[in-house]
Amino acid sequence: MADGGGRFAAGGADRLGNLVCGHRGPREIPQDQALFNDGTVREVERAEAAYERAIDKLDAKARPQLENAATPLMANYREKLSVLDSAIADLKSQAGINPANGHLRRELLAMYQEKQDTLKEVLEAKQ
């Protein structure tokens, strides 16, 4: 899928920059913002676990290609995944401190989705 890979290579730096700039670390959440209740937190935790399982499967398939990054495209993907891993770890840590914070949980789910999409792109670029 050269077209998809070409789009990433051309816009990879911009997308990676937006991803890095979009994640600025801890943020103050206004007290009046709705927080998740216990049932919602459990539901979100199940969704996070499902993402983690899916990502682990994709990662196992994509890892050899990423480790042998013979092209600049694969090197870009590896760097993007590293940034995503860092953002996910930071958000997981923050969510562990305040599990009912809906904003943090939505950001975390968005990072999981982005990582899953990126791993799928890596696998498609192989073909």
Side-chain angles (χ1 to χ4, degrees), residues 52-69 74 81 115-116 118-127:
E52 288 174 348
R53 286 188 302 274
I55 286 168
D56 286 346
K57 289 177 184 177
L58 288 168
D59 187 68
K61 291 178 183 177
R63 184 64 35 207
Q65 192 171 347
L66 290 165
E67 287 176 351
N68 301 320
M74 284 302 127
L81 288 164
K115 183 172 181 178
Q116 186 176 33
T118 301
L119 287 166
K120 286 178 181 177
E121 289 174 17
V122 167
L123 292 170
E124 289 173 0
K126 172 172 86 171
Q127 298 170 357

Side-chain angles (χ1 to χ4, degrees), residues 19-76:
L19 180 63
V20 173
C21 292
H23 179 71
R24 293 186 178 92
R27 297 183 190 139
E28 290 296 318
I29 305 298
Q31 290 297 327
D32 63 343
Q33 181 173 348
L35 298 178
F36 288 158
N37 62 36
D38 289 343
T40 306
V41 169
R42 282 190 298 276
E43 187 177 322
V44 169
E45 287 172 344
R46 282 190 297 272
E48 290 169 1
Y51 266 119
E52 288 174 348
R53 286 188 302 274
I55 286 168
D56 286 346
K57 289 177 184 177
L58 288 168
D59 187 68
K61 291 178 183 177
R63 184 64 35 207
Q65 192 171 347
L66 290 165
E67 287 176 351
N68 301 320
T71 66
L73 175 62
M74 284 302 127
N76 283 341

